[in-house]
Amino acid sequence: MAVHVWGLVAIIVFYLLIFILGIWAARKNKKKGKEATSEDILLAGRNIGTYLGIFTLTATWVDGALISGVAEGIYTSGLSSLSMPLGYCMSTILAAFFFVKKMREGNNVTMLDPFDRKFGKIMTGFLFLPALSGDMFWCAATLSSLGTTLTVVVGLDHWIAITVSAAVVLIYTLFGGLYSVSYTDVMQMLFIFVGLWLAIPFALSNPLMTSLSETTEKWVGTLPNHDISTYIDILLQLMFGGIPWQVLWQRALAMKSSRLAEVMLYAGALGFVVCTIPPLLIGMVAVSVDWNATAYDGELPFPADDLKLIAPLVLQYVCPFVVSLIGLGAISAAVMSSADSILLSSSSMFSNNIYKPARMGKASERELIWAMRVFMTLMAILTTVLAIEITSIFALAILCSDLVYVILFPQFTSVLFVDGANIYGSIAGYVLGLIIRVLSGEPLLGLRAVLRWPWYEAETDFQPFPYRTGCMLLSFLTILLVSYVTNVAFLTGWLPRRYDVLNGIVWYSESKPKEPSDENWSAQNEKNEFVDLEILPRRKMEVNEAEDDGSEEVSRLEQEPLTSN
């Protein structure tokens, strides 16, 4: 395929703009000398403003996989493919309503910090694996969407487009952290919104288009009765599996207060819905246009391997070339805004929850920053390879949240809301969830089902039963049951304390703490040996948030004792 010179020039200019902005943001916010810490890079000093937070969250969720995946899904399956944007939108709302305050109470830096405190370093390392797998699949899907777009519109080889895009994202994220990611997300969000919406009227007004009202049956699609349970299963997976993602919590934890974090998440969900409409319409156009009358000279109907090209093909052959370049900029912006967030997400969890504990507190801030950068580089290389080999963007976008839903969501819910959850329940739930999920099979990976759920169809190896949700619920119930049994067994004396080899049981002192009478909670708790030391940073954080909100709760918080109930 010949390279289109002006298209190549346009994409180079766009990449330079993003790169320069990312480096400028890093230099503008960089602290001098040894004052820079890993937390500054990961959470931007917990000083992200509301509007900047809304932009960066929306730009992260609206990625290339969403744009190309929704267009592909509408073309192949109809409106049922909207499960992906609908599910992730609902997950953001649920995270704001139920999880934000809990996550910010502990002064956490990453999503894995609550696991580290409650289940210990080793178990946190195992829980990092499903989070990492989700990030890898997601990043690969979004990079692949950009590669296909550049191949169609500009004529670049698929692997060159993906490699160059990953390299640009990697460089400015390496040195700027969340600062660079947030500032570049603002520019990228503007490109996404303007570029995609600009392409829609040109596509809909193309003379080769059949009216959408006449092609309703094609783009609405049908959902066979035996697929309804599968659809519900995937929707629940996306809703609840979209909650335990570091990219989401990195922004929620970087906000100045819990209230602002909630506002940011709700507004981000709304922005997500608005930005889903253009790829939805692009998919409807792909169904309604007469491809035989266009300049497209490829195979028709589209072979399976070309279905991921639906969005760029509409931009290329249904829209004027200038408009297709602007649309290309939108998809490029969507990819880069998500890829940088994903790379930062995984590397932050590795640095803070894997490398730092492994060094037993001996790692300097500079060492932690470089550990993050090395891991980020390796992550970029691996996801680039996956993106080059990928087949279906829509399928991979669904797959990325699978293990997160089955394994990580029940663990995340337990560690935040179940006081009695312990490491023994966590291990049991993790192992059982992983085993039954693998044995249930996965058509997208070519894994046949060994564990056959009700209504299993042997001829097609199809599981009508919502087995993903079944695996998640069994994992969750196992965590609760094993935690309860082990707590009762140890605390009632059925099992001697020496058998608590993982130190997973909370042993309470027989003596009771004295009620302090001093009005100053700082002074009174310095004298009280029964103070829970983990409450101190949380109380300071609550006071700071109350000050930010102008709340009258400041004096009450300062007088309230730090003792555990």
Side-chain angles (χ1 to χ4, degrees):
M1 181 181 293
V3 175
H4 193 286
V5 176
W6 287 112
L8 183 60
V9 170
I11 199 65
I12 290 174
V13 170
F14 172 76
Y15 274 27
L16 284 175
L17 287 174
I18 295 296
F19 181 77
I20 292 171
L21 179 60
I23 297 300
W24 172 83
R27 292 178 63 86
K28 178 179 182 296
N29 294 282
K30 184 178 180 181
K31 290 191 174 183
K32 296 182 179 180
K34 297 181 179 179
E35 293 182 1
T37 66
S38 57
E39 185 170 330
D40 291 324
I41 292 179
L42 301 183
L43 297 182
R46 297 186 190 270
N47 198 36
I48 295 292
T50 306
Y51 295 110
L52 184 58
I54 294 171
F55 269 106
T56 185
L57 178 67
T58 306
T60 298
W61 278 141
V62 182
D63 59 356
L66 171 80
I67 296 171
S68 296
V70 168
E72 175 191 337
I74 293 294
Y75 183 82
T76 57
S77 308
L79 294 180
S80 62
S81 61
L82 290 179
S83 57
M84 181 171 59
L86 177 62
Y88 282 133
C89 178
M90 290 300 300
S91 73
T92 307
I93 295 173
L94 291 172
F97 193 81
F98 293 105
F99 291 84
V100 165
K101 289 184 179 179
K102 281 286 186 180
M103 275 296 290
R104 292 185 60 96
E105 281 178 0
N107 200 26
N108 299 306
V109 175
T110 75
M111 177 187 73
L112 295 180
D113 282 355
F115 298 108
D116 196 8
R117 284 195 294 270
K118 197 162 190 175
F119 297 156
K121 297 187 286 288
I122 297 177
M123 193 61 211
T124 301
F126 281 104
L127 291 169
F128 171 65
L129 297 178
L132 176 62
S133 70
D135 280 347
M136 284 195 305
F137 284 131
W138 183 12
C139 193
T142 196
L143 284 174
S144 178
S145 67
L146 179 57
T148 57
T149 305
L150 289 176
T151 300
V152 172
V153 179
V154 180
L156 282 177
D157 286 343
H158 187 63
W159 71 273
I160 294 178
I162 292 175
T163 304
V164 172
S165 303
V168 172
V169 169
L170 174 64
I171 293 173
Y172 72 71
T173 308
L174 274 175
F175 298 99
L178 191 57
Y179 287 124
S180 291
V181 170
S182 299
Y183 279 99
T184 53
D185 278 353
V186 174
M187 177 184 286
Q188 290 157 352
M189 192 66 244
L190 293 175
F191 269 100
I192 293 169
F193 189 82
V194 174
L196 290 180
W197 278 106
L198 180 64
I200 295 305
F202 287 96
L204 292 176
S205 61
N206 189 294
L208 302 179
M209 272 284 297
T210 302
S211 173
L212 295 181
S213 61
E214 299 179 21
T215 59
T216 303
E217 292 185 3
K218 293 182 179 179
W219 55 260
V220 168
T222 57
L223 188 65
N225 291 333
H226 74 288
D227 285 345
I228 293 177
S229 59
T230 301
Y231 178 81
I232 295 174
D233 192 23
I234 292 176
L235 182 61
L236 292 174
Q237 171 189 320
L238 295 168
M239 284 176 56
F240 297 105
I243 294 175
W245 286 88
Q246 172 63 11
V247 290
L248 184 149
W249 294 111
Q250 198 147 34
R251 283 141 184 80
L253 296 175
M255 300 296 289
K256 296 178 181 179
S257 68
S258 294
R259 181 179 63 84
L260 294 179
E262 291 175 9
V263 171
M264 181 264 295
L265 290 174
Y266 287 128
L270 178 60
F272 186 64
V273 171
V274 173
C275 291
T276 300
I277 297 175
L280 164 65
L281 293 174
I282 288 174
M284 294 164 65
V285 168
V287 171
S288 306
V289 73
D290 182 5
W291 287 101
N292 289 309
T294 66
Y296 176 71
D297 57 357
E299 182 181 348
L300 290 172
F302 298 112
D305 290 343
D306 288 347
L307 291 176
K308 61 183 179 181
L309 304 175
I310 293 298
L313 286 174
V314 170
L315 292 175
Q316 174 73 355
Y317 294 104
V318 183
C319 300
F321 184 71
V322 174
V323 175
S324 70
L325 285 183
I326 298 175
L328 169 63
I331 295 180
S332 301
V335 169
M336 297 176 78
S337 66
S338 300
D340 55 14
S341 300
I342 298 167
L343 292 178
L344 183 63
S345 164
S346 293
S347 60
S348 63
M349 289 189 289
F350 173 79
S351 174
N352 195 68
N353 301 108
I354 305 299
Y355 186 83
K356 184 177 180 179
R359 293 280 287 131
M360 305 295 289
K362 298 179 181 179
S364 64
E365 289 296 329
R366 183 177 179 83
E367 184 179 344
L368 291 175
I369 292 173
W370 276 103
M372 179 188 69
R373 288 172 176 170
V374 171
F375 185 85
M376 191 184 298
T377 303
L378 296 175
M379 178 79 171
I381 294 172
L382 180 58
T383 53
T384 299
V385 173
L386 288 175
I388 293 172
E389 299 296 328
I390 202 170
T391 55
S392 172
I393 297 170
F394 179 75
L396 200 59
I398 297 295
L399 185 63
C400 70
S401 64
D402 198 313
L403 288 181
V404 175
Y405 176 52
V406 172
I407 296 177
L408 206 53
F409 174 71
Q411 300 274 352
F412 189 65
T413 305
S414 299
V415 80
L416 291 180
F417 295 99
V418 182
D419 293 335
N422 60 41
I423 189 173
Y424 301 106
S426 178
I427 293 173
Y430 186 105
V431 173
L432 180 67
L434 179 61
I435 291 175
I436 61 177
R437 178 62 193 93
V438 172
L439 294 180
S440 297
E442 178 49 59
L444 297 178
L445 296 178
L447 294 177
R448 291 188 63 84
V450 176
L451 176 62
R452 300 180 176 184
W453 295 78
W455 315 314
Y456 173 75
E457 298 177 5
E459 293 183 1
T460 57
D461 191 39
F462 178 64
Q463 303 256 32
F465 189 86
Y467 61 92
R468 298 174 185 84
T469 301
C471 294
M472 184 276 293
L473 291 175
L474 286 175
S475 177
F476 189 36
L477 291 174
T478 301
I479 295 172
L480 299 181
L481 181 60
V482 174
S483 295
Y484 176 78
V485 170
T486 51
N487 283 332
V488 170
F490 280 110
L491 295 177
T492 58
W494 293 353
L495 288 176
R497 183 169 182 172
R498 65 178 179 273
Y499 292 134
D500 181 17
V501 293
L502 299 178
N503 296 319
I505 307 300
V506 178
W507 299 93
Y508 299 97
S509 171
E510 294 180 0
S511 58
K512 297 182 179 179
K514 298 178 182 179
E515 289 293 334
S517 57
D518 193 328
E519 294 182 358
N520 188 319
W521 56 263
S522 298
Q524 69 185 227
N525 285 290
E526 287 178 358
K527 301 176 183 179
N528 192 342
E529 63 180 304
F530 295 97
V531 169
D532 184 350
L533 296 179
E534 291 187 2
I535 296 180
L536 182 57
R538 184 163 68 246
R539 178 58 49 77
K540 288 182 178 180
M541 185 176 178
E542 291 174 352
V543 171
N544 290 337
E545 292 180 359
E547 290 175 343
D548 290 336
D549 297 342
S551 173
E552 298 180 359
E553 292 292 304
V554 176
S555 59
R556 182 187 67 78
L557 291 170
E558 291 179 340
Q559 296 176 10
E560 186 177 340
L562 284 178
T563 51
S564 303
N565 292 329

